[in-house]
PDB file of all heavy atoms in Angstrom:
ATOM      1  N   SER A 199      -3.781  -2.037 124.056  1.00 93.00           N
ATOM      2  CA  SER A 199      -4.988  -1.856 124.879  1.00 93.00           C
ATOM      3  C   SER A 199      -6.207  -1.439 124.066  1.00 93.00           C
ATOM      4  O   SER A 199      -7.313  -1.926 124.276  1.00 93.00           O
ATOM      5  CB  SER A 199      -4.722  -0.794 125.947  1.00 93.00           C
ATOM      6  OG  SER A 199      -3.582  -1.103 126.712  1.00 93.00           O
ATOM      7  N   ARG A 200      -6.016  -0.537 123.112  1.00 93.00           N
ATOM      8  CA  ARG A 200      -7.167   0.020 122.407  1.00 93.00           C
ATOM      9  C   ARG A 200      -7.773  -0.944 121.377  1.00 93.00           C
ATOM     10  O   ARG A 200      -8.791  -0.608 120.756  1.00 93.00           O
ATOM     11  CB  ARG A 200      -6.751   1.335 121.731  1.00 93.00           C
ATOM     12  CG  ARG A 200      -6.374   2.394 122.740  1.00 93.00           C
ATOM     13  CD  ARG A 200      -6.301   3.773 122.133  1.00 93.00           C
ATOM     14  NE  ARG A 200      -5.908   4.758 123.122  1.00 93.00           N
ATOM     15  CZ  ARG A 200      -5.918   6.074 122.928  1.00 93.00           C
ATOM     16  NH1 ARG A 200      -6.327   6.541 121.758  1.00 93.00           N
ATOM     17  NH2 ARG A 200      -5.527   6.907 123.853  1.00 93.00           N
ATOM     18  N   PHE A 201      -7.186  -2.104 121.210  1.00 96.00           N
ATOM     19  CA  PHE A 201      -7.843  -3.126 120.382  1.00 96.00           C
ATOM     20  C   PHE A 201      -9.221  -3.442 120.929  1.00 96.00           C
ATOM     21  O   PHE A 201     -10.115  -3.825 120.180  1.00 96.00           O
ATOM     22  CB  PHE A 201      -7.010  -4.419 120.354  1.00 96.00           C
ATOM     23  CG  PHE A 201      -5.756  -4.326 119.536  1.00 96.00           C
ATOM     24  CD1 PHE A 201      -5.393  -3.175 118.869  1.00 96.00           C
ATOM     25  CD2 PHE A 201      -4.917  -5.423 119.437  1.00 96.00           C
ATOM     26  CE1 PHE A 201      -4.229  -3.107 118.117  1.00 96.00           C
ATOM     27  CE2 PHE A 201      -3.762  -5.374 118.675  1.00 96.00           C
ATOM     28  CZ  PHE A 201      -3.409  -4.207 118.023  1.00 96.00           C
ATOM     29  N   ASN A 202      -9.371  -3.267 122.239  1.00 95.00           N
ATOM     30  CA  ASN A 202     -10.634  -3.618 122.870  1.00 95.00           C
ATOM     31  C   ASN A 202     -11.779  -2.667 122.485  1.00 95.00           C
ATOM     32  O   ASN A 202     -12.945  -2.981 122.734  1.00 95.00           O
ATOM     33  CB  ASN A 202     -10.468  -3.674 124.390  1.00 95.00           C
ATOM     34  CG  ASN A 202      -9.778  -4.954 124.837  1.00 95.00           C
ATOM     35  OD1 ASN A 202     -10.353  -6.024 124.763  1.00 95.00           O
ATOM     36  ND2 ASN A 202      -8.537  -4.843 125.264  1.00 95.00           N
ATOM     37  N   LEU A 203     -11.450  -1.540 121.853  1.00 94.00           N
ATOM     38  CA  LEU A 203     -12.499  -0.681 121.321  1.00 94.00           C
ATOM     39  C   LEU A 203     -13.262  -1.370 120.207  1.00 94.00           C
ATOM     40  O   LEU A 203     -14.392  -1.014 119.893  1.00 94.00           O
ATOM     41  CB  LEU A 203     -11.880   0.626 120.803  1.00 94.00           C
ATOM     42  CG  LEU A 203     -11.254   1.549 121.849  1.00 94.00           C
ATOM     43  CD1 LEU A 203     -10.547   2.710 121.156  1.00 94.00           C
ATOM     44  CD2 LEU A 203     -12.298   2.075 122.813  1.00 94.00           C
ATOM     45  N   LEU A 204     -12.613  -2.373 119.596  1.00 96.00           N
ATOM     46  CA  LEU A 204     -13.214  -3.092 118.475  1.00 96.00           C
ATOM     47  C   LEU A 204     -14.034  -4.300 118.919  1.00 96.00           C
ATOM     48  O   LEU A 204     -14.672  -4.955 118.107  1.00 96.00           O
ATOM     49  CB  LEU A 204     -12.116  -3.570 117.531  1.00 96.00           C
ATOM     50  CG  LEU A 204     -11.286  -2.469 116.871  1.00 96.00           C
ATOM     51  CD1 LEU A 204      -9.919  -3.009 116.452  1.00 96.00           C
ATOM     52  CD2 LEU A 204     -12.008  -1.888 115.678  1.00 96.00           C
ATOM     53  N   ALA A 205     -14.025  -4.594 120.213  1.00 94.00           N
ATOM     54  CA  ALA A 205     -14.606  -5.851 120.711  1.00 94.00           C
ATOM     55  C   ALA A 205     -16.130  -5.797 120.851  1.00 94.00           C
ATOM     56  O   ALA A 205     -16.733  -6.809 121.169  1.00 94.00           O
ATOM     57  CB  ALA A 205     -13.972  -6.226 122.048  1.00 94.00           C
ATOM     58  N   LYS A 206     -16.726  -4.645 120.591  1.00 88.00           N
ATOM     59  CA  LYS A 206     -18.186  -4.547 120.747  1.00 88.00           C
ATOM     60  C   LYS A 206     -18.892  -4.271 119.420  1.00 88.00           C
ATOM     61  O   LYS A 206     -19.951  -3.639 119.376  1.00 88.00           O
ATOM     62  CB  LYS A 206     -18.521  -3.450 121.769  1.00 88.00           C
ATOM     63  CG  LYS A 206     -18.115  -3.786 123.189  1.00 88.00           C
ATOM     64  CD  LYS A 206     -18.692  -2.814 124.189  1.00 88.00           C
ATOM     65  CE  LYS A 206     -20.200  -2.982 124.330  1.00 88.00           C
ATOM     66  NZ  LYS A 206     -20.754  -2.145 125.428  1.00 88.00           N
ATOM     67  N   SER A 207     -18.312  -4.759 118.335  1.00 90.00           N
ATOM     68  CA  SER A 207     -18.944  -4.674 117.004  1.00 90.00           C
ATOM     69  C   SER A 207     -19.307  -3.234 116.636  1.00 90.00           C
ATOM     70  O   SER A 207     -20.466  -2.915 116.383  1.00 90.00           O
ATOM     71  CB  SER A 207     -20.166  -5.582 116.938  1.00 90.00           C
ATOM     72  OG  SER A 207     -19.809  -6.937 117.104  1.00 90.00           O
ATOM     73  N   ASN A 208     -18.331  -2.370 116.584  1.00 95.00           N
ATOM     74  CA  ASN A 208     -18.521  -0.988 116.142  1.00 95.00           C
ATOM     75  C   ASN A 208     -17.947  -0.872 114.738  1.00 95.00           C
ATOM     76  O   ASN A 208     -16.734  -0.783 114.557  1.00 95.00           O
ATOM     77  CB  ASN A 208     -17.806  -0.043 117.116  1.00 95.00           C
ATOM     78  CG  ASN A 208     -18.106   1.430 116.810  1.00 95.00           C
ATOM     79  OD1 ASN A 208     -18.175   1.818 115.664  1.00 95.00           O
ATOM     80  ND2 ASN A 208     -18.263   2.214 117.858  1.00 95.00           N
ATOM     81  N   VAL A 209     -18.817  -0.870 113.742  1.00 96.00           N
ATOM     82  CA  VAL A 209     -18.339  -0.880 112.366  1.00 96.00           C
ATOM     83  C   VAL A 209     -17.617   0.403 112.001  1.00 96.00           C
ATOM     84  O   VAL A 209     -16.730   0.405 111.138  1.00 96.00           O
ATOM     85  CB  VAL A 209     -19.522  -1.142 111.395  1.00 96.00           C
ATOM     86  CG1 VAL A 209     -20.432   0.078 111.278  1.00 96.00           C
ATOM     87  CG2 VAL A 209     -19.011  -1.565 110.016  1.00 96.00           C
ATOM     88  N   ASP A 210     -17.955   1.524 112.627  1.00 96.00           N
ATOM     89  CA  ASP A 210     -17.246   2.769 112.360  1.00 96.00           C
ATOM     90  C   ASP A 210     -15.775   2.650 112.760  1.00 96.00           C
ATOM     91  O   ASP A 210     -14.880   3.158 112.072  1.00 96.00           O
ATOM     92  CB  ASP A 210     -17.890   3.932 113.112  1.00 96.00           C
ATOM     93  CG  ASP A 210     -19.274   4.276 112.566  1.00 96.00           C
ATOM     94  OD1 ASP A 210     -19.500   4.046 111.355  1.00 96.00           O
ATOM     95  OD2 ASP A 210     -20.122   4.733 113.352  1.00 96.00           O
ATOM     96  N   TYR A 211     -15.529   1.992 113.885  1.00 96.00           N
ATOM     97  CA  TYR A 211     -14.139   1.738 114.299  1.00 96.00           C
ATOM     98  C   TYR A 211     -13.470   0.764 113.340  1.00 96.00           C
ATOM     99  O   TYR A 211     -12.304   0.965 112.941  1.00 96.00           O
ATOM    100  CB  TYR A 211     -14.109   1.170 115.720  1.00 96.00           C
ATOM    101  CG  TYR A 211     -14.359   2.178 116.817  1.00 96.00           C
ATOM    102  CD1 TYR A 211     -14.655   1.757 118.114  1.00 96.00           C
ATOM    103  CD2 TYR A 211     -14.312   3.548 116.574  1.00 96.00           C
ATOM    104  CE1 TYR A 211     -14.884   2.677 119.126  1.00 96.00           C
ATOM    105  CE2 TYR A 211     -14.545   4.469 117.581  1.00 96.00           C
ATOM    106  CZ  TYR A 211     -14.833   4.020 118.859  1.00 96.00           C
ATOM    107  OH  TYR A 211     -15.070   4.939 119.857  1.00 96.00           O
ATOM    108  N   ALA A 212     -14.177  -0.288 112.977  1.00 97.00           N
ATOM    109  CA  ALA A 212     -13.592  -1.305 112.085  1.00 97.00           C
ATOM    110  C   ALA A 212     -13.193  -0.719 110.751  1.00 97.00           C
ATOM    111  O   ALA A 212     -12.199  -1.151 110.139  1.00 97.00           O
ATOM    112  CB  ALA A 212     -14.567  -2.452 111.900  1.00 97.00           C
ATOM    113  N   ARG A 213     -13.941   0.257 110.260  1.00 96.00           N
ATOM    114  CA  ARG A 213     -13.644   0.853 108.962  1.00 96.00           C
ATOM    115  C   ARG A 213     -12.414   1.767 109.001  1.00 96.00           C
ATOM    116  O   ARG A 213     -11.964   2.242 107.958  1.00 96.00           O
ATOM    117  CB  ARG A 213     -14.880   1.624 108.457  1.00 96.00           C
ATOM    118  CG  ARG A 213     -15.966   0.688 107.961  1.00 96.00           C
ATOM    119  CD  ARG A 213     -17.228   1.413 107.563  1.00 96.00           C
ATOM    120  NE  ARG A 213     -18.229   0.460 107.046  1.00 96.00           N
ATOM    121  CZ  ARG A 213     -19.498   0.736 106.856  1.00 96.00           C
ATOM    122  NH1 ARG A 213     -19.967   1.953 107.131  1.00 96.00           N
ATOM    123  NH2 ARG A 213     -20.310  -0.177 106.382  1.00 96.00           N
ATOM    124  N   ARG A 214     -11.902   2.001 110.176  1.00 96.00           N
ATOM    125  CA  ARG A 214     -10.643   2.743 110.279  1.00 96.00           C
ATOM    126  C   ARG A 214      -9.441   1.831 110.118  1.00 96.00           C
ATOM    127  O   ARG A 214      -8.293   2.288 110.030  1.00 96.00           O
ATOM    128  CB  ARG A 214     -10.553   3.467 111.628  1.00 96.00           C
ATOM    129  CG  ARG A 214     -11.654   4.509 111.830  1.00 96.00           C
ATOM    130  CD  ARG A 214     -11.399   5.280 113.111  1.00 96.00           C
ATOM    131  NE  ARG A 214     -12.589   5.998 113.561  1.00 96.00           N
ATOM    132  CZ  ARG A 214     -12.637   6.720 114.682  1.00 96.00           C
ATOM    133  NH1 ARG A 214     -11.572   6.803 115.446  1.00 96.00           N
ATOM    134  NH2 ARG A 214     -13.751   7.338 115.015  1.00 96.00           N
ATOM    135  N   LEU A 215      -9.695   0.512 110.141  1.00 96.00           N
ATOM    136  CA  LEU A 215      -8.601  -0.457 110.008  1.00 96.00           C
ATOM    137  C   LEU A 215      -8.316  -0.704 108.512  1.00 96.00           C
ATOM    138  O   LEU A 215      -9.197  -1.158 107.796  1.00 96.00           O
ATOM    139  CB  LEU A 215      -8.971  -1.778 110.661  1.00 96.00           C
ATOM    140  CG  LEU A 215      -9.356  -1.725 112.140  1.00 96.00           C
ATOM    141  CD1 LEU A 215      -9.775  -3.118 112.608  1.00 96.00           C
ATOM    142  CD2 LEU A 215      -8.202  -1.218 112.984  1.00 96.00           C
ATOM    143  N   THR A 216      -7.137  -0.400 108.101  1.00 95.00           N
ATOM    144  CA  THR A 216      -6.756  -0.668 106.710  1.00 95.00           C
ATOM    145  C   THR A 216      -5.490  -1.513 106.676  1.00 95.00           C
ATOM    146  O   THR A 216      -5.566  -2.734 106.609  1.00 95.00           O
ATOM    147  CB  THR A 216      -6.577   0.642 105.919  1.00 95.00           C
ATOM    148  OG1 THR A 216      -5.646   1.492 106.631  1.00 95.00           O
ATOM    149  CG2 THR A 216      -7.902   1.374 105.773  1.00 95.00           C
ATOM    150  N   THR A 217      -4.354  -0.843 106.716  1.00 97.00           N
ATOM    151  CA  THR A 217      -3.079  -1.581 106.675  1.00 97.00           C
ATOM    152  C   THR A 217      -2.201  -1.231 107.863  1.00 97.00           C
ATOM    153  O   THR A 217      -2.428  -0.240 108.557  1.00 97.00           O
ATOM    154  CB  THR A 217      -2.302  -1.245 105.385  1.00 97.00           C
ATOM    155  OG1 THR A 217      -2.010   0.167 105.382  1.00 97.00           O
ATOM    156  CG2 THR A 217      -3.097  -1.611 104.152  1.00 97.00           C
ATOM    157  N   LEU A 218      -1.227  -2.077 108.094  1.00 96.00           N
ATOM    158  CA  LEU A 218      -0.213  -1.813 109.104  1.00 96.00           C
ATOM    159  C   LEU A 218       1.131  -2.254 108.550  1.00 96.00           C
ATOM    160  O   LEU A 218       1.187  -3.055 107.596  1.00 96.00           O
ATOM    161  CB  LEU A 218      -0.510  -2.557 110.398  1.00 96.00           C
ATOM    162  CG  LEU A 218      -0.656  -4.070 110.302  1.00 96.00           C
ATOM    163  CD1 LEU A 218       0.426  -4.740 111.130  1.00 96.00           C
ATOM    164  CD2 LEU A 218      -2.017  -4.513 110.819  1.00 96.00           C
ATOM    165  N   THR A 219       2.200  -1.741 109.095  1.00 97.00           N
ATOM    166  CA  THR A 219       3.527  -2.077 108.596  1.00 97.00           C
ATOM    167  C   THR A 219       4.337  -2.791 109.673  1.00 97.00           C
ATOM    168  O   THR A 219       4.268  -2.433 110.853  1.00 97.00           O
ATOM    169  CB  THR A 219       4.304  -0.841 108.117  1.00 97.00           C
ATOM    170  OG1 THR A 219       4.460   0.079 109.219  1.00 97.00           O
ATOM    171  CG2 THR A 219       3.573  -0.156 106.989  1.00 97.00           C
ATOM    172  N   LEU A 220       5.058  -3.783 109.240  1.00 97.00           N
ATOM    173  CA  LEU A 220       5.996  -4.494 110.099  1.00 97.00           C
ATOM    174  C   LEU A 220       7.334  -4.529 109.401  1.00 97.00           C
ATOM    175  O   LEU A 220       7.483  -5.196 108.354  1.00 97.00           O
ATOM    176  CB  LEU A 220       5.504  -5.921 110.377  1.00 97.00           C
ATOM    177  CG  LEU A 220       6.497  -6.800 111.143  1.00 97.00           C
ATOM    178  CD1 LEU A 220       6.741  -6.267 112.548  1.00 97.00           C
ATOM    179  CD2 LEU A 220       6.007  -8.249 111.203  1.00 97.00           C
ATOM    180  N   ASN A 221       8.287  -3.784 109.903  1.00 96.00           N
ATOM    181  CA  ASN A 221       9.638  -3.810 109.366  1.00 96.00           C
ATOM    182  C   ASN A 221      10.448  -4.812 110.176  1.00 96.00           C
ATOM    183  O   ASN A 221      10.674  -4.607 111.376  1.00 96.00           O
ATOM    184  CB  ASN A 221      10.288  -2.425 109.431  1.00 96.00           C
ATOM    185  CG  ASN A 221       9.562  -1.425 108.551  1.00 96.00           C
ATOM    186  OD1 ASN A 221       8.831  -1.814 107.652  1.00 96.00           O
ATOM    187  ND2 ASN A 221       9.755  -0.143 108.817  1.00 96.00           N
ATOM    188  N   THR A 222      10.872  -5.898 109.547  1.00 97.00           N
ATOM    189  CA  THR A 222      11.775  -6.823 110.224  1.00 97.00           C
ATOM    190  C   THR A 222      13.181  -6.302 110.089  1.00 97.00           C
ATOM    191  O   THR A 222      13.413  -5.241 109.486  1.00 97.00           O
ATOM    192  CB  THR A 222      11.667  -8.247 109.628  1.00 97.00           C
ATOM    193  OG1 THR A 222      12.248  -8.233 108.314  1.00 97.00           O
ATOM    194  CG2 THR A 222      10.216  -8.696 109.554  1.00 97.00           C
ATOM    195  N   LEU A 223      14.139  -7.018 110.608  1.00 97.00           N
ATOM    196  CA  LEU A 223      15.540  -6.566 110.486  1.00 97.00           C
ATOM    197  C   LEU A 223      15.978  -6.518 109.021  1.00 97.00           C
ATOM    198  O   LEU A 223      16.942  -5.835 108.693  1.00 97.00           O
ATOM    199  CB  LEU A 223      16.470  -7.525 111.247  1.00 97.00           C
ATOM    200  CG  LEU A 223      16.305  -7.612 112.765  1.00 97.00           C
ATOM    201  CD1 LEU A 223      17.360  -8.520 113.347  1.00 97.00           C
ATOM    202  CD2 LEU A 223      16.370  -6.246 113.427  1.00 97.00           C
ATOM    203  N   TYR A 224      15.227  -7.202 108.137  1.00 97.00           N
ATOM    204  CA  TYR A 224      15.703  -7.388 106.775  1.00 97.00           C
ATOM    205  C   TYR A 224      14.794  -6.816 105.692  1.00 97.00           C
ATOM    206  O   TYR A 224      15.238  -6.605 104.571  1.00 97.00           O
ATOM    207  CB  TYR A 224      15.892  -8.893 106.497  1.00 97.00           C
ATOM    208  CG  TYR A 224      16.713  -9.567 107.552  1.00 97.00           C
ATOM    209  CD1 TYR A 224      16.110 -10.307 108.561  1.00 97.00           C
ATOM    210  CD2 TYR A 224      18.105  -9.433 107.572  1.00 97.00           C
ATOM    211  CE1 TYR A 224      16.869 -10.915 109.559  1.00 97.00           C
ATOM    212  CE2 TYR A 224      18.866 -10.045 108.571  1.00 97.00           C
ATOM    213  CZ  TYR A 224      18.245 -10.782 109.560  1.00 97.00           C
ATOM    214  OH  TYR A 224      18.986 -11.374 110.548  1.00 97.00           O
ATOM    215  N   GLU A 225      13.508  -6.572 105.992  1.00 95.00           N
ATOM    216  CA  GLU A 225      12.604  -6.088 104.949  1.00 95.00           C
ATOM    217  C   GLU A 225      11.422  -5.365 105.557  1.00 95.00           C
ATOM    218  O   GLU A 225      11.100  -5.541 106.730  1.00 95.00           O
ATOM    219  CB  GLU A 225      12.118  -7.244 104.094  1.00 95.00           C
ATOM    220  CG  GLU A 225      11.329  -8.278 104.868  1.00 95.00           C
ATOM    221  CD  GLU A 225      10.831  -9.427 103.981  1.00 95.00           C
ATOM    222  OE1 GLU A 225      10.715  -9.244 102.761  1.00 95.00           O
ATOM    223  OE2 GLU A 225      10.574 -10.517 104.539  1.00 95.00           O
ATOM    224  N   GLN A 226      10.771  -4.544 104.700  1.00 95.00           N
ATOM    225  CA  GLN A 226       9.563  -3.862 105.119  1.00 95.00           C
ATOM    226  C   GLN A 226       8.359  -4.636 104.593  1.00 95.00           C
ATOM    227  O   GLN A 226       8.311  -5.006 103.417  1.00 95.00           O
ATOM    228  CB  GLN A 226       9.520  -2.434 104.571  1.00 95.00           C
ATOM    229  CG  GLN A 226       8.222  -1.688 104.920  1.00 95.00           C
ATOM    230  CD  GLN A 226       8.242  -0.243 104.519  1.00 95.00           C
ATOM    231  OE1 GLN A 226       9.216   0.463 104.733  1.00 95.00           O
ATOM    232  NE2 GLN A 226       7.158   0.219 103.927  1.00 95.00           N
ATOM    233  N   ARG A 227       7.358  -4.860 105.442  1.00 96.00           N
ATOM    234  CA  ARG A 227       6.156  -5.590 105.069  1.00 96.00           C
ATOM    235  C   ARG A 227       4.919  -4.756 105.378  1.00 96.00           C
ATOM    236  O   ARG A 227       4.865  -4.064 106.369  1.00 96.00           O
ATOM    237  CB  ARG A 227       6.075  -6.910 105.846  1.00 96.00           C
ATOM    238  CG  ARG A 227       7.293  -7.807 105.682  1.00 96.00           C
ATOM    239  CD  ARG A 227       7.172  -9.041 106.553  1.00 96.00           C
ATOM    240  NE  ARG A 227       8.276  -9.968 106.375  1.00 96.00           N
ATOM    241  CZ  ARG A 227       8.333 -11.176 106.928  1.00 96.00           C
ATOM    242  NH1 ARG A 227       7.352 -11.592 107.709  1.00 96.00           N
ATOM    243  NH2 ARG A 227       9.383 -11.963 106.707  1.00 96.00           N
ATOM    244  N   THR A 228       3.935  -4.896 104.523  1.00 98.00           N
ATOM    245  CA  THR A 228       2.653  -4.244 104.736  1.00 98.00           C
ATOM    246  C   THR A 228       1.577  -5.331 104.793  1.00 98.00           C
ATOM    247  O   THR A 228       1.617  -6.301 104.036  1.00 98.00           O
ATOM    248  CB  THR A 228       2.338  -3.255 103.589  1.00 98.00           C
ATOM    249  OG1 THR A 228       3.374  -2.287 103.507  1.00 98.00           O
ATOM    250  CG2 THR A 228       1.008  -2.529 103.853  1.00 98.00           C
ATOM    251  N   TYR A 229       0.615  -5.154 105.702  1.00 98.00           N
ATOM    252  CA  TYR A 229      -0.444  -6.135 105.893  1.00 98.00           C
ATOM    253  C   TYR A 229      -1.803  -5.447 105.855  1.00 98.00           C
ATOM    254  O   TYR A 229      -1.959  -4.308 106.289  1.00 98.00           O
ATOM    255  CB  TYR A 229      -0.306  -6.830 107.251  1.00 98.00           C
ATOM    256  CG  TYR A 229       0.918  -7.719 107.386  1.00 98.00           C
ATOM    257  CD1 TYR A 229       2.158  -7.182 107.670  1.00 98.00           C
ATOM    258  CD2 TYR A 229       0.816  -9.107 107.225  1.00 98.00           C
ATOM    259  CE1 TYR A 229       3.279  -7.987 107.799  1.00 98.00           C
ATOM    260  CE2 TYR A 229       1.930  -9.919 107.369  1.00 98.00           C
ATOM    261  CZ  TYR A 229       3.165  -9.358 107.651  1.00 98.00           C
ATOM    262  OH  TYR A 229       4.261 -10.160 107.789  1.00 98.00           O
TER     263      TYR A 229
END
Side-chain angles (χ1 to χ4, degrees):
S199 307
R200 296 194 181 188
F201 287 0
N202 283 290
L203 294 173
L204 297 156
K206 292 190 70 173
S207 297
N208 187 321
V209 73
D210 291 331
Y211 285 165
R213 286 175 178 167
R214 298 186 197 178
L215 304 176
T216 53
T217 61
L218 57 117
T219 60
L220 173 65
N221 296 340
T222 70
L223 296 183
Y224 309 100
E225 62 180 337
Q226 177 174 316
R227 304 176 177 187
T228 303
Y229 293 81

